Amino acid sequence: MKKVALVMGSDSDLPIVEKAIDTLRQYAVPFQAHVFSAHRCPEQAAEFAKNAREQGVGVIIAAAGKAAHLAGALAANTTLPVIGIPIKSSLDGIDALLSTVQMPSGIPVATVAIDGAVNAALLSIEILALSEPVLADKLAAARAEGTRKVLEKNAAIEEKYNK
Ligand code: RP5
């Protein structure tokens, strides 16, 4: 199975990135984690992206805050799919959201919500599931469980207020 590479702009992003790691572990998806900054070590970040495909990476998740150029800078150096997590580090994360999502045509970054690490991991799993049926089965089971839980809560609320 291809790996998911998690790249964070700073180790201060780790508390959010750990939510993606937890999700990848739940699905038994192999991953690797790195700290590379688009601003503080741009050459190493670019080098990482250039070599990622040949190192068995299938999807890159990039988490960064403030003027968050990491996802775009990695995407500029690979044609692997790149998922950006805007980290709430300043300005309620709006700065990171806009910096991550507003990519010019030709260099896509799939941007999730501010601090949306779980969805970033799930999206990466959905991409890997295109060629890994076992992951597609696990995703479907998780969706069914999510539906069951909501309907259970609905039944409790309806029982309490509608009878
Ligand atoms: C960004 O600046 C990082 O991704 C982090 O979210 C933010 C603050 O970094 P530190 O100053 O905590 O290293 O580049």
Side-chain angles (χ1 to χ4, degrees):
M1 187 184 301
K2 298 276 188 196
K3 291 177 284 186
V4 173
L6 299 139
V7 187
M8 58 206 103
S10 166
D11 62 353
S12 64
D13 301 322
L14 187 56
I16 297 300
V17 172
E18 277 179 334
K19 296 177 187 177
I21 289 173
D22 289 346
T23 302
L24 293 169
R25 283 187 168 140
Q26 283 166 21
Y27 283 79
V29 168
F31 65 89
Q32 55 193 54
H34 310 268
V35 177
F36 290 124
S37 166
H39 305 122
R40 292 166 175 160
C41 59
E43 289 170 17
Q44 289 83 355
E47 202 57 25
F48 167 80
K50 285 176 187 166
N51 296 330
R53 185 185 294 274
E54 67 196 38
Q55 291 182 356
V57 172
V59 185
I60 296 173
I61 295 175
K66 298 188 174 173
H69 298 132
L70 180 60
L74 296 177
N77 285 288
T78 182
T79 53
L80 290 172
V82 175
I83 300 168
I85 308 173
I87 298 289
K88 190 191 295 182
S89 175
S90 57
L91 303 179
D92 285 336
I94 298 296
D95 45 358
L97 173 63
L98 296 179
S99 300
T100 304
V101 77
Q102 289 290 79
M103 288 297 293
S105 294
I107 311 293
V109 167
T111 306
V112 297
I114 295 166
D115 289 350
V118 171
N119 272 358
L122 289 173
L123 185 53
S124 74
I125 295 165
E126 289 180 355
I127 292 168
L128 296 184
L130 290 169
S131 56
E132 299 285 348
V134 66
L135 291 182
D137 291 345
K138 287 181 184 177
L139 287 164
R143 288 286 179 99
E145 177 61 9
T147 299
R148 189 194 65 73
K149 282 183 182 164
V150 171
L151 294 181
E152 191 177 271
K153 289 173 186 171
N154 176 58
I157 293 290
E158 288 186 354
E159 174 71 21
K160 184 172 181 181
Y161 295 106
N162 303 356
K163 294 242 160 119

